[in-house]
Amino acid sequence: MTSTEGATARADHQRPRGLAPFLRSQMRNIAPFLTLIFLSAFFAIASPSFATIDNVGNILTQVSVTGIIAVGLTFVILCAEIDLSIASIANVTGIAVAYFTLQESYVNIANVPMPGIVAILLALALCALLGLVNALGLTVIGIPSFIMTLAMMQ
């Protein structure tokens, strides 16, 4: 037996086999998923209205905004940058839509009454303008992303 065969045999002998060692080594990846399953089971047992199709749809609707933001931020992080202003700009979008939307007569909010689609388009244009300010500060001026997005967060 040569020295490389002996090293391979020792490495194979020392490597644990089976499901339990694999699960232990992957616990960092598995733990959030197991937590979600246990929490879902707990709330399904605790409240009969939790495990309904309507509630699942409601949960997915509530999580969709966070999911869309997370996908966008994934690309930012993959480029080794950071964006601290994302929540503030998302809030500006909601405020802009509320400002430009036609309100009911009992709502006492100063606004510019416009149809819904126009309000949404104006809010998206405003947020695109804020994103452009971020982009120009990063690329043209050369401000680090942490500082630029921290300033835009204010």
Side-chain angles (χ1 to χ4, degrees), residues 95-103 109-116 118-120 122:
I95 292 167
V97 168
Y99 181 75
F100 292 126
T101 304
L102 179 63
Q103 303 291 331
I109 298 175
N111 65 346
V112 179
M114 296 182 177
V118 175
I120 291 170
L122 282 173

Side-chain angles (χ1 to χ4, degrees), residues 6-29:
T8 305
R10 279 192 301 263
D12 287 341
H13 178 68
Q14 292 175 351
R15 187 179 319 152
R17 295 180 187 212
L19 184 61
F22 174 74
L23 290 177
R24 253 192 312 277
S25 68
Q26 295 296 319
M27 191 51 72
R28 171 182 277 165
N29 299 329

